[in-house]
Amino acid sequence: MKRLMMIATLLATMLLAGAPQLSAASLHSKREFRGAWIQTVNGQFSGMSTAAMQQTLRQQLDELQRDGVNAIIFQVRPECDALYESKIEPWSRFLTGVQGKAPMPYWDPLKWMINQCHRRGMELHAWINPYRAKTAGTTALARNHVASLYPNRVFSYNGQLILNPGLPENREYICRVVDDIVSRYDVDGIHIDDYFYPYPAAGQTIADDKEFMRYNGGIANKNDWRRNNVNAFVQRLGQTIKDRKPWVKFGVSPFGIYRNKKSDPINGSATSGLQNYDDLYADVLLWVNNGWVDYCVPQLYWKIGHPSADYQTLAIWWNKYAGNRPLYIGESVERTVKEPDLNNPKTNQMEAKFKLRRMLPNVQGAVLWYAKAVADNMGNYGSTLRNYYWKTPALQPLMPFIDHKRPKKPRHLEAVWTSDGLVLFWEEPKGKKWGDFAQKYVVYRFAMGEDVDIDNPAKIVAVTHDKWIKLPYDKGQVRYRYVVTALDRMSNESRKARKKVWL
């Protein structure tokens, strides 16, 4: 404990004093989760035709790819609805303007996004809001919406409808919805956000007295019972996903404060804001430490120096307490670029936040809130990623608790002249089960005489689902060594396959 406190103090001192520039090795990590949330509940696609929405998404994905993003978290279920073809829930109004109305011309946004992301070497995580059944702005529900079919299974709160977490049938229902997604779509992950029991609102009460009386199971305290309801759901959902497809990652993005020191003097953070454990009944650390989730993305949207929820304090806290599963930091692009650096008010806080994250050993990446702000290059955030922080490609962090065995290397590398120029082809390695098969390939290039160091991400020229890459032939005067490795579904990397080529 003393050693951890010393590390935290040292980090804080270095940051406040202005730490030296990060080394090239620490600046460009070969493995890092570089995610961005694409939300739909904000209405950014409302009123768009199919063609216009697809074009907008293509533009965002192209910009995000250039900026180094390697994972998209796409909101597909904002209010017990669907931005995908579903026989369980109605089409979302955030897609078509009317809940239950199919898009015309017809398309399936989730299927389309999976294809677009995989073509760019990105992962696609389907983001669902588990309990929210109606947002405050929704005025009409479809006939097949769960709240229309079973009004006794929701409660009203601050203009919203919430699937009652105290009802076992609601847990079963959400798991059935997710199982349907996982079984029919080639998603890389299922992602849930911070909406469990609703955020407290003045003058509002949660109507669950009857459910508590019926289902308390001997738990005397209602708050403990509510937490137990959410715990049971998270554990069940994680198991549902793994039973269907063991390789699909299950991630959670909780509110940024677990507990304040005032509530928990031993394990709480030096903060004074709303709390996951006490206010949302979400015991996030239990899920992480028990391995019920595969990754955790606390939403640290505040600035460094915030009086009640300081970014630096919270990043150090999560690093200390939530390291049993890959930890990524949820980052607000807008607030980061609008807040001045404490040591240099002429610049924003982007550098300080990146510097802090790279110093924390359990932090393996970040997820950006939200994708449009990056694609629009708000405050030069996107161009700074592209030219500096995320200049080189990155593979996904390893998850050996799911699978640690590497696939076999690609076979039969061959450079072939085609009508489109010189192309390097290879064949897929053989495999027997899901963990053996190659899903993507990493292509490296080295000058002759140069050390073949595949730990150097600057040598990566492509991460691709294809089994070929067009080579930049130029008069055939210079010889290069190309190295191709295979990645399985968990990003375990094979041994090297090599080919010398004159370019």
Side-chain angles (χ1 to χ4, degrees):
M1 179 64 72
K2 288 184 179 179
R3 183 172 180 271
L4 286 169
M5 291 303 296
M6 287 175 64
I7 292 173
T9 303
L10 177 63
L11 284 168
T13 303
M14 291 173 68
L15 283 159
L16 291 172
Q21 286 287 333
L22 293 168
S23 67
S26 61
L27 176 62
H28 300 302
S29 174
K30 181 180 172 178
R31 289 191 179 271
E32 186 175 32
F33 193 88
R34 300 173 177 177
W37 282 291
I38 295 183
Q39 63 171 332
T40 55
V41 73
N42 67 339
Q44 66 170 311
F45 303 113
S46 295
M48 286 189 181
S49 65
T50 295
M53 184 173 172
Q54 289 179 350
Q55 180 61 21
T56 299
L57 286 168
R58 277 195 203 95
Q59 290 173 347
Q60 288 190 13
L61 292 175
D62 287 343
E63 288 299 315
L64 294 167
Q65 182 184 24
R66 283 191 282 266
D67 294 341
V69 170
N70 62 15
I72 297 297
I73 300 174
F74 181 53
Q75 189 176 31
V76 300
R77 185 181 182 265
E79 50 179 2
C80 293
D81 52 357
L83 277 91
Y84 61 94
E85 184 179 286
S86 173
K87 294 181 180 179
I88 302 173
E89 296 188 312
W91 284 101
S92 175
R93 76 172 179 90
F94 297 108
L95 176 64
T96 66
V98 177
Q99 191 177 93
K101 179 182 177 182
M104 291 295 292
Y106 183 85
W107 70 305
D108 184 324
L110 176 55
K111 182 179 180 180
W112 187 88
M113 281 290 288
I114 291 169
N115 179 57
Q116 292 291 320
C117 288
H118 286 178
R119 283 171 52 189
R120 291 168 173 82
M122 298 173 170
E123 288 192 345
L124 189 285
H125 294 226
W127 163 19
I128 72 162
N129 302 83
Y131 292 111
R132 187 171 61 200
K134 185 187 83 67
T135 60
T138 296
T139 57
L141 298 176
R143 287 183 296 176
N144 64 327
H145 189 275
V146 63
S148 299
L149 296 172
Y150 309 103
N152 60 316
R153 285 167 50 179
V154 301
F155 59 75
S156 178
Y157 191 92
N158 200 30
Q160 303 177 90
L161 291 178
I162 308 295
L163 283 178
N164 192 332
L167 292 173
E169 55 264 44
N170 282 339
R171 294 197 287 272
E172 297 295 325
Y173 174 75
I174 301 168
C175 288
R176 183 162 68 94
V177 168
V178 171
D179 185 58
D180 177 59
I181 294 172
V182 173
S183 65
R184 294 191 296 116
Y185 293 90
D186 189 22
V187 295
D188 300 290
I190 293 292
H191 183 90
I192 61 175
D193 55 22
D194 52 324
Y195 293 100
F196 301 104
Y197 278 88
Y199 275 67
Q204 301 283 319
T205 57
I206 296 174
D208 61 355
D209 287 345
K210 291 189 298 183
E211 290 76 19
F212 177 55
M213 291 293 293
R214 182 177 180 183
Y215 296 110
N216 66 70
I219 300 175
N221 182 283
K222 183 183 276 191
N223 291 346
D224 290 338
W225 172 73
R226 287 174 177 168
R227 273 186 289 274
N228 186 66
N229 292 333
V230 180
N231 292 340
F233 161 70
V234 171
Q235 184 179 23
R236 176 64 187 274
L237 181 58
Q239 192 59 54
T240 297
I241 294 167
K242 299 307 178 188
D243 286 347
R244 178 63 63 180
K245 291 179 180 176
W247 59 86
V248 173
K249 303 168 185 177
F250 176 33
V252 60
S253 179
F255 182 72
I257 298 173
Y258 176 69
R259 299 193 86 187
N260 302 312
K261 275 192 177 295
K262 184 176 180 180
S263 301
D264 186 345
I266 297 176
N267 297 318
S269 55
T271 51
S272 57
L274 181 138
Q275 305 165 101
N276 274 292
Y277 185 91
D278 303 84
D279 301 311
L280 303 178
Y281 309 102
D283 191 353
V284 182
L285 290 190
L286 179 71
W287 314 338
V288 169
N289 291 327
N290 283 354
W292 296 347
V293 296
D294 297 320
Y295 67 87
C296 180
V297 191
Q299 297 172 16
L300 306 191
Y301 294 164
W302 303 280
K303 65 181 179 180
I304 297 174
H306 193 285
S308 58
D310 173 46
Y311 179 100
Q312 178 179 302
T313 296
L314 285 164
I316 293 172
W317 186 93
W318 284 96
N319 175 75
K320 175 182 175 181
Y321 288 95
N324 195 46
R325 283 292 183 263
L327 174 65
Y328 319 135
I329 299 299
E331 180 97 355
S332 168
V333 173
E334 182 175 2
R335 295 183 187 181
T336 296
V337 299
K338 288 185 177 181
E339 292 294 340
D341 184 87
L342 298 184
N343 299 304
N344 183 7
K346 294 182 179 179
T347 64
N348 61 43
Q349 294 195 350
M350 185 177 185
E351 180 180 4
K353 289 183 175 181
F354 265 84
K355 192 176 294 183
L356 171 61
R357 293 202 301 271
R358 294 289 169 84
M359 290 177 177
L360 299 173
N362 290 323
V363 175
Q364 300 183 46
V367 182
L368 306 177
W369 178 257
Y370 61 105
K372 188 177 186 299
V374 185
D376 290 347
N377 199 26
M378 181 181 290
N380 292 320
Y381 197 99
S383 58
T384 305
L385 289 178
R386 182 184 311 184
N387 297 320
Y388 190 58
Y389 293 108
W390 290 355
K391 183 177 182 179
T392 61
L395 309 185
Q396 296 295 333
L398 294 170
M399 293 187 175
F401 48 87
I402 297 178
D403 175 50
H404 66 275
K405 184 180 178 182
R406 68 170 69 189
K408 293 182 179 179
K409 67 182 181 180
R411 301 180 298 147
H412 305 144
L413 267 66
E414 196 65 45
V416 178
W417 278 102
T418 71
S419 59
D420 196 34
L422 188 61
V423 177
L424 181 65
F425 291 95
W426 57 88
E427 294 181 11
E428 181 179 347
K430 295 180 179 180
K432 295 182 179 179
K433 57 182 182 179
W434 72 263
D436 300 334
F437 295 109
Q439 292 297 306
K440 289 185 286 191
Y441 301 91
V442 188
V443 183
Y444 305 82
R445 189 175 80 164
F446 301 90
M448 294 307 297
E450 186 177 16
D451 289 340
V452 178
D453 178 14
I454 66 170
D455 290 328
N456 181 358
K459 298 302 177 181
I460 297 174
V461 295
V463 179
T464 177
H465 283 258
D466 297 324
K467 293 187 281 293
W468 57 270
I469 183 172
K470 184 177 178 181
L471 299 178
Y473 183 80
D474 182 23
K475 300 179 182 179
Q477 300 297 308
V478 184
R479 200 178 191 192
Y480 291 94
R481 179 180 286 110
Y482 275 82
V483 170
V484 182
T485 61
L487 299 176
D488 64 15
R489 286 191 176 271
M490 303 315 302
S491 288
N492 295 302
E493 189 172 18
S494 74
R495 299 187 187 278
K496 303 182 286 288
R498 311 184 189 205
K499 184 69 178 179
K500 295 177 183 177
V501 181
W502 287 96
L503 297 180

